[in-house]
Amino acid sequence: MIVQNITFYIIITLSLIAILVVSIVIPFIGFINKRWKGLAIGCLAQPIFCAVVFLLVVLGALHYQERSLSKYREAAIVTLRKTVTDDNGNHSYTWYLKGDDECLFEMGEPRHGRYSDRKREDVEAKLFDIIPLDSCSVCVDDVVVVKFDFDNRTVTATDYDEPIEVVSINWDRVKDYFARLAVTKVR
């Protein structure tokens, strides 16, 4: 899963550098405690320590990233999906619109069959802002327009004026979102 958030990758890189710098102390501690034998053991333990801690940091960071993305998916007021078939195969585009004017956009190849429940490593995710157009429609990235019909409880979504599938909708969250927008406009 790839999210284009440079701060996340900078923090991971700086953490790995800090672990490497701290691990340089291991042979010196061995030398202080056991002299030359401790130095030799410390020199052997240093790369093992680095490898184990690097692995834990990277796996922890990936778990944190997947957890934060799943929170975005769970908080969605509307979920939209578009599947495109071309010469390279199927590509799925999914938008998760949240009530705090953020949208998680995922694109990649959908998996089918036996392994469809596994996490998809070949998916790229981006964050966009949701722009309210009027009292019953919103826009994402100047491309996707979502219109809500509160009377009939229907939603229509278009991507470059082509209709796209509405996967799920939480009407209570949608009503709260537009009520919050109405209060904000009054102020």
Side-chain angles (χ1 to χ4, degrees):
M1 183 70 65
I2 300 171
V3 173
Q4 295 178 348
N5 183 354
I6 194 71
T7 308
F8 178 77
Y9 296 111
I10 289 173
I11 290 171
I12 296 299
T13 304
L14 291 177
S15 299
L16 296 178
I17 291 170
I19 292 167
L20 184 61
V21 169
V22 168
S23 73
I24 293 173
V25 176
I26 294 173
F28 294 117
I29 293 173
F31 181 74
I32 291 171
N33 291 331
K34 300 279 184 177
R35 291 287 178 214
W36 296 107
K37 184 178 179 182
L39 179 67
I41 292 173
C43 287
L44 292 174
Q46 181 187 7
I48 295 169
F49 170 80
C50 282
V52 169
V53 176
F54 279 6
L55 183 67
L56 290 175
V57 167
V58 169
L59 289 177
L62 291 175
H63 176 72
Y64 170 77
Q65 186 178 29
E66 181 62 36
R67 180 75 179 133
S68 65
L69 288 176
S70 69
K71 285 183 181 180
Y72 268 99
R73 292 183 196 109
E74 292 169 2
I77 60 174
V78 178
T79 303
L80 310 171
R81 182 176 301 130
K82 178 180 179 179
T83 303
V84 177
T85 304
D86 59 7
D87 295 338
N88 297 329
N90 289 338
H91 299 284
S92 177
Y93 303 104
T94 308
W95 293 266
Y96 299 94
L97 282 68
K98 286 179 46 182
D100 59 355
D101 293 330
E102 287 184 337
C103 175
L104 174 67
F105 171 67
E106 293 181 335
M107 61 182 163
E109 295 183 23
R111 296 202 177 174
H112 300 287
R114 181 176 166 187
Y115 301 105
S116 62
D117 58 341
R118 289 190 180 175
K119 294 176 184 153
R120 301 181 294 179
E121 292 83 15
D122 55 349
V123 173
E124 184 177 344
K126 295 180 183 180
L127 294 175
F128 291 111
D129 291 330
I130 297 174
I131 302 166
L133 296 176
D134 55 24
S135 63
C136 61
S137 63
V138 294
C139 178
V140 178
D141 192 32
D142 294 331
V143 175
V144 176
V145 176
V146 183
K147 296 180 182 179
F148 301 91
D149 183 4
F150 292 105
D151 296 333
N152 298 325
R153 285 193 168 246
T154 58
V155 178
T156 56
T158 58
D159 180 21
Y160 287 113
D161 295 328
E162 293 179 16
I164 55 177
E165 174 188 10
V166 177
V167 177
S168 67
I169 183 165
N170 186 328
W171 282 103
D172 295 330
R173 290 181 185 171
V174 170
K175 286 181 182 179
D176 292 341
Y177 173 74
F178 282 106
R180 184 179 53 86
L181 285 178
V183 169
T184 305
K185 285 183 180 180
V186 169
R187 290 183 185 177

